[in-house]
Every structure is written in structure tokens, then in C-alpha cells.
Amino acid sequence: MVRALYIGRFQPYHNGHKYVIEQITQEADELIIGIGSAQMSHEPDDPFTAGERVLMITRALKDIGCPLYIIPLEDINRNALWVAHVISMTPPFDRIYSANPLVIRLFHEAGHSVTTPALYERGRLSGTTIRRRINSGEQWEDLVPPSITAVMDEIDGISRIKDLNRDDGE
Ligand code: NAD
């Protein structure tokens, strides 16, 4: 029985995350998703609350076919203690998946091996690109699962991103 941990900010959840999760579910029996920077919201780079990100991921993975645990993880101000913080908040896990260099570094230093999935269409599939496209009115819907566009409608996410990027004229 392998329980895998995958941590991300998911601002928003997109097809790159989906690609990684499809790989993880081939290799693991249960999946824990850690929603990083859970305390952040209503910022240009972090527009969505942890709860909204839970909703996105729950909808996107409703047919995942394995036990799924979605755990919001607040950041802490001491990187050296972060892995212990993550462990204290999640079910026990056997394997970690990440391509984030800091996440890999901190887990390695704490004695955990990390699997790094290949990046999938990283030029298009990143939260930064999707937020930028939404803000500038470009097409973005094909970069996320259809369930995410529905959640974005439900939470009025598009106008939130535009408002957060608006200059107040000062
Ligand atoms: P993210 O949502 O940008 O990415 C999540 C994962 O998906 C990453 O491994 C990323 O490489 C991968 N990914 C993204 N696009 C992909 C694509 N197109 N193809 C394949 N894989 C893709 O989230 P992130 O920035 O990696 O999240 C790390 C979280 O950990 C952050 O919230 C960060 O604050 C937190 N953290 C906190 C501390 C602390 O509190 N001290 C320390 C380290 C990390």
C-alpha cells in the first residue's frame, strides 16, 4: 500500500497538475493533496482561498477512484521546520511528488526521497500563465479541466483576478 503526497498552491488547479496526478495514481494506492500557502488569498499571485482550492480539486478529482485526502497547509516562517509541519498535518505518506526545487530540497534534507514528475507543457500550463491570461481577457479555459471553469464561474473568480490586478490610479 503506497500513500503519496503531492503539494502545490493550485492557484488555480490546471492540466499540468492533472497530468502529474494521473502519473501518481498509476504508482500509488492513495493520494494526499497538500494545498500550500493555505493562508493566502485575494492577492494577484494567490487569488483563491484554501476552501475554494479544496472545491476545485474535489470537483476535478471526483472520479479519481482511490482514497483522496485534501489538506490545507499554511506556510510557516521557518523553512527548516516546514517538513515537520507538513508531517504533523497530513496522514502518514510513503512517497512525495514535487518538481519545486525548495520542496525537493527540504524533503531531501529531512531524509525523504522525492519523485519529480516531468513538466508537461510548462510554457502554457502554469498558474502564472493562466492568471495572466484571465487578467488580460485571453483564452485560458483549455488549460484547466472543465470542472475548474465551472468553479471559477461559481466563485466569480475571473472578476476577482481582474480586480486584484487593477490599479487604483494612485
Ligand atoms: P504549484 O501549484 O505551482 O505546483 C505544484 C506542483 O505541480 C509542483 O511540483 C510543480 O512543479 C508541478 N507543476 C506545475 N505545473 C506543472 C506542469 N505544467 N507539468 C507538470 N508539473 C507541474 O505549487 P508550488 O509552488 O510547487 O507549491 C509549493 C507550496 O509549498 C507553496 O505553497 C509553498 O509556499 C509551500 N512551501 C512552504 C514552505 C514554508 O512554509 N516554509 C516551504 C516550502 C514550500
Side-chain angles (χ1 to χ4, degrees):
M1 220 289 290
V2 173
R3 191 177 298 117
L5 171 65
Y6 179 49
I7 295 177
R9 278 169 47 235
F10 308 109
Q11 290 281 17
Y13 181 90
H14 58 65
N15 287 336
H17 300 131
K18 175 173 179 269
Y19 171 83
V20 172
I21 287 172
E22 282 167 0
Q23 177 186 330
I24 297 173
T25 54
Q26 308 269 314
E27 299 170 358
D29 305 294
E30 298 193 355
L31 174 62
I32 306 163
I33 296 192
I35 300 185
S37 307
Q39 81 285 2
M40 299 290 290
S41 74
H42 296 83
E43 301 279 351
D45 291 340
D46 289 282
F48 305 116
T49 67
E52 289 164 342
R53 290 176 275 160
V54 168
L55 183 63
M56 289 180 196
I57 294 167
T58 305
R59 293 267 180 85
L61 297 182
K62 76 177 171 39
D63 298 321
I64 189 170
C66 73
L68 172 68
Y69 313 91
I70 303 175
I71 313 284
L73 298 168
E74 294 195 7
D75 291 333
I76 61 168
N77 207 14
R78 294 179 71 177
N79 282 337
L81 300 184
W82 182 67
V83 169
H85 167 64
V86 171
I87 289 170
S88 78
M89 297 298 292
T90 55
F93 51 85
D94 309 286
R95 206 175 282 174
I96 305 125
Y97 289 79
S98 180
N100 178 312
L102 177 61
V103 170
I104 294 170
R105 177 87 208 166
L106 294 176
F107 272 103
H108 273 168
E109 288 189 8
H112 299 264
S113 66
V114 179
T115 304
T116 300
L119 291 174
Y120 178 66
E121 294 190 31
R122 184 62 173 167
R124 295 168 73 234
L125 295 178
S126 76
T128 304
T129 300
I130 293 167
R131 294 189 303 273
R132 183 187 54 70
R133 281 175 165 262
I134 291 173
N135 187 44
S136 59
E138 291 169 63
Q139 229 256 328
W140 59 276
E141 292 87 344
D142 58 328
L143 307 180
V144 301
S147 56
I148 300 303
T149 53
V151 173
M152 292 283 269
D153 280 347
E154 195 177 323
I155 65 175
D156 202 20
I158 294 165
S159 67
R160 184 185 305 167
I161 286 178
K162 290 184 174 175
D163 283 347
L164 294 172
N165 285 282
R166 195 163 287 150
D167 191 331
D168 67 0
E170 283 292 305

